[in-house]
Amino acid sequence: MKNKHKFSLLFTIVAFLTLFLTGCSNNSSSTAKKSSNNQITVNYTLKQGKKTVSDKSVKIPKKKAKVITGLKKAWKVQETKGFITSIDGKKQNPKKKIYWTYTINGKWATKGADKQAVANKDKIKFTLDKVK
């Protein structure tokens, strides 16, 4: 009778641990899938004139997929009403008509960085140069 009781107890413990560990492993893999499905990667390039000064790929949440989101994640940014005034300490100079401008996948942006949506694998290029 004692052996039967020990076997039942051992079986219960093994069954509980198996279910517990299986539950834990399923949750972690679904969480990893969720987080990767909820993020996009955007490539940012900073130029000063024709010289590239920085290039970074940034992961940002799909829900907040605006140009400014990844820019602020990668560099120290100052902005006014969605228009960039300084990136990484490099400031525009309105008296000399030097401003930050940007393109998305080679096309000029039509909105401020806080309004412009981005998609996975977009290429954003910010250039600090004289505007004609």
Side-chain angles (χ1 to χ4, degrees):
M1 191 70 147
K2 283 186 177 184
N3 284 341
K4 225 180 192 183
H5 181 63
K6 285 181 183 179
F7 179 75
S8 293
L9 183 60
L10 181 63
F11 180 76
T12 304
I13 291 171
V14 169
F16 175 75
L17 288 175
T18 303
L19 290 172
F20 178 75
L21 293 175
T22 303
C24 289
S25 67
N26 285 341
N27 285 342
S28 63
S29 65
S30 66
T31 302
K33 285 180 187 175
K34 272 186 181 180
S35 66
S36 66
N37 287 339
N38 290 330
Q39 290 198 338
I40 61 171
T41 301
V42 180
N43 182 273
Y44 287 83
T45 301
L46 298 184
K47 296 183 84 165
Q48 196 161 1
K50 294 184 184 207
K51 180 183 173 188
T52 299
V53 291
S54 188
D55 190 29
K56 295 182 183 180
S57 288
V58 182
K59 288 186 182 275
I60 57 175
K62 276 185 186 179
K63 288 184 179 181
K64 297 180 181 182
K66 303 289 183 200
V67 169
I68 201 158
T69 307
L71 189 66
K72 283 186 172 183
K73 187 172 182 180
W75 294 279
K76 184 178 176 187
V77 176
Q78 293 178 343
E79 50 111 1
T80 303
K81 297 180 182 176
F83 293 96
I84 307 304
T85 58
S86 174
I87 303 174
D88 211 24
K90 295 168 180 51
K91 297 180 180 183
Q92 63 185 23
N93 185 336
K95 289 182 182 179
K96 293 183 179 180
K97 296 185 180 182
I98 295 174
Y99 296 96
W100 280 107
T101 59
Y102 74 97
T103 60
I104 299 177
N105 301 320
K107 296 179 182 176
W108 288 103
T110 58
K111 298 179 184 176
D114 64 335
K115 303 270 190 263
Q116 182 63 56
V118 290
N120 194 35
K121 298 185 182 180
D122 274 352
K123 295 180 187 318
I124 313 297
K125 187 183 300 181
F126 275 88
T127 304
L128 181 63
D129 205 353
K130 191 168 190 165
V131 176
K132 299 172 185 175

